[in-house]
Amino acid sequence: MQTEVLRVLRTEARSWWRHRELRRTGDHDEARQLERKTILRDIGYLRAALNNPNAYVSFGGGGTILHLGLTTVSLYAPVERFPLASLAVRLGTPLIDCHPVRDISALANLPKVTMDGQIDPEPWTSSSRISLLIYIGAVERLGARIVNDPRAGRAT
């Protein structure tokens, strides 16, 4: 799996327009250096996604977001066209598909997922912090689909 992850990240880094342009103009060393930085950054994002029990990927009408705590990585595209998020999901990070949710206002007003483990007591407001497991239950009740469900016995 490590080889496949590196292959995907390397391919993605080489496809960036800036890196292609550097190669076209003959500046191969700078292109390789930028690609290495990009790959190392993305590996850091993947490690954060795998090591944080509250990290998750969400996607809906606004694109795909990899939630890592204080950092989010997003792309206005489906998860299939966002290699970093796609890799995170393939490696086991939960995916919340918000496309089926009809009540967008209720979704936007849900409490936020805590990334530092501190959970606010009930009653919750939109500015409260809750665990990923509680959040997944709430979005599921609104109609969202869950992939890699971390709740016991529900992995899909």
Side-chain angles (χ1 to χ4, degrees):
M1 185 57 126
Q2 291 174 347
T3 303
E4 184 178 345
V5 167
L6 285 174
R7 183 184 54 77
V8 169
L9 293 177
R10 199 173 289 129
T11 302
E12 175 68 8
R14 293 191 95 194
S15 73
W16 283 27
W17 71 268
R18 175 73 174 129
H19 303 168
R20 283 195 324 261
E21 185 64 19
L22 286 169
R23 286 183 186 285
R24 189 186 68 74
T25 59
D27 203 346
H28 297 283
D29 290 338
E30 187 176 352
R32 266 190 238 110
Q33 183 181 15
L34 288 173
E35 288 164 5
R36 275 192 208 106
K37 284 182 181 179
T38 300
I39 292 166
L40 289 173
R41 183 203 62 210
D42 288 351
I43 287 172
Y45 289 149
L46 285 173
R47 280 189 180 134
L50 297 175
N51 291 328
N52 186 337
N54 288 316
Y56 65 100
V57 174
S58 66
F59 81 105
T64 305
I65 304 171
L66 176 57
H67 301 267
L68 301 171
L70 296 176
T71 303
T72 59
V73 184
S74 63
L75 184 68
Y76 190 73
V79 70
E80 306 86 46
R81 291 189 38 226
F82 188 6
L84 184 61
S86 185
L87 280 172
V89 171
R90 285 176 35 203
L91 293 171
T93 302
L95 169 73
I96 301 172
D97 177 2
C98 297
H99 281 105
V101 175
R102 296 286 172 232
D103 190 352
I104 302 302
S105 178
L107 180 66
N109 286 317
L110 285 176
K112 308 306 174 232
V113 175
T114 182
M115 292 296 164
D116 61 5
Q118 296 180 357
I119 298 172
D120 294 334
E122 291 188 53
W124 294 311
T125 65
S126 62
S127 61
S128 298
R129 297 175 301 169
I130 59 174
S131 74
L132 178 60
L133 300 178
I134 295 169
Y135 184 79
I136 285 175
V139 296
E140 198 171 48
R141 284 189 295 280
L142 291 174
R145 289 185 299 233
I146 312 300
V147 176
N148 295 337
D149 196 333
R151 298 173 292 182
R154 293 186 156 198
T156 57

